[in-house]
Amino acid sequence: MSVSANMEQDVLRTLLSEEQLKQRVAELGRQLTEEYRGKDLLLVTVLKGAVVFLADLMRCIDVPAEIDFMVVSSYGAGVKSSGVVKIVKDLDIPLKDRHILIVEDILDSGLTLSYIKQMLENRGPASIRIVTLLDKPARRKADLKADYVGFEVPDDFVIGYGLDYDEKYRNLPYIGVLKPEVYSE
């Protein structure tokens, strides 16, 4: 696959602008501040896609919070989840009696996130909730819903703001729809 020198040539259309993202992340931050006031909050993010959302969101949450990261593999270079989850890097911080907020970039099939949530529940946290920037319910295979949703999106292949195709396009400051000819080569 060759990526054009200008990534934007591969974008079919802008789905969510940089300004829309900033505004919604700030709103979620205010909501989460109220929800987690006085609680021992741990933000857990699955790398790499959600790192941009996490960075912006945690600056909008006005309560003490720690962060930790997991690396899982379920997609490879393809466009659909394989349904098989491999833990590449587990969390470093114990979860017992902590309030866990899983910060996700996109809730798609839900297979990977459902597996991760169940695994984390077995470690004895006080609570586990999910905040996702994007929710794509048309693709859901697992019985899973996010507790906090930034935006519901159609069943398009989205990129930007941390989301990628084959590790590219993560650095676009907005969410765009990737042209089908790019991923169907």
Side-chain angles (χ1 to χ4, degrees):
M1 179 190 118
S2 66
V3 175
S4 64
N6 180 356
M7 294 181 295
E8 296 194 3
Q9 292 175 352
D10 296 338
V11 178
L12 182 64
R13 70 181 183 281
T14 299
L15 192 61
L16 297 165
S17 70
E18 188 173 0
E19 189 54 42
Q20 287 174 295
L21 292 167
K22 283 180 184 175
Q23 183 179 350
R24 185 63 182 129
V25 170
E27 290 169 1
L28 286 169
R30 287 190 294 273
Q31 183 179 3
L32 293 166
T33 295
E34 292 308 311
E35 182 75 29
Y36 287 97
R37 192 172 309 285
K39 296 180 179 174
D40 189 11
L41 178 59
L42 174 62
L43 303 171
V44 171
T45 298
V46 179
L47 295 176
K48 302 175 189 169
V51 72
V52 176
F53 178 43
L54 170 71
D56 287 348
L57 182 65
M58 70 185 198
R59 289 188 299 245
C60 294
I61 298 173
D62 191 24
V63 296
E66 290 182 73
I67 60 172
D68 203 353
F69 301 94
M70 294 182 78
V71 177
V72 301
S73 174
S74 66
Y75 279 79
V79 296
K80 290 189 173 25
S81 175
S82 64
V84 176
V85 178
K86 176 183 166 195
I87 305 297
V88 179
K89 184 221 172 278
D90 205 340
L91 298 174
D92 296 320
I93 299 174
L95 305 186
K96 183 99 174 100
D97 300 324
R98 302 289 304 265
H99 292 276
I100 310 304
L101 181 63
I102 300 172
V103 180
E104 183 66 295
D105 54 354
I106 185 166
L107 180 50
D108 197 313
S109 72
L111 295 173
T112 300
L113 195 53
S114 180
Y115 177 87
I116 290 169
K117 185 179 181 197
Q118 182 60 55
M119 184 182 76
L120 298 182
E121 282 174 346
N122 293 335
R123 298 181 186 181
S127 69
I128 295 183
R129 295 212 172 144
I130 298 167
V131 59
T132 187
L133 177 64
L134 305 177
D135 186 14
K136 193 187 290 188
R139 300 276 308 265
R140 194 83 75 248
K141 292 181 182 174
D143 184 21
L144 184 70
K145 288 183 76 165
D147 300 283
Y148 311 95
V149 175
F151 302 91
E152 187 172 306
V153 294
D155 191 13
D156 292 321
F157 197 106
V158 291
I159 52 168
Y161 198 72
L163 292 122
D164 74 304
Y165 169 64
D166 201 20
E167 296 298 323
K168 296 168 183 71
Y169 309 103
R170 292 186 194 278
N171 55 326
L172 292 172
Y174 58 87
I175 303 284
V177 176
L178 188 62
K179 289 180 179 175
E181 57 266 26
V182 175
Y183 59 85
S184 60
E185 293 177 350

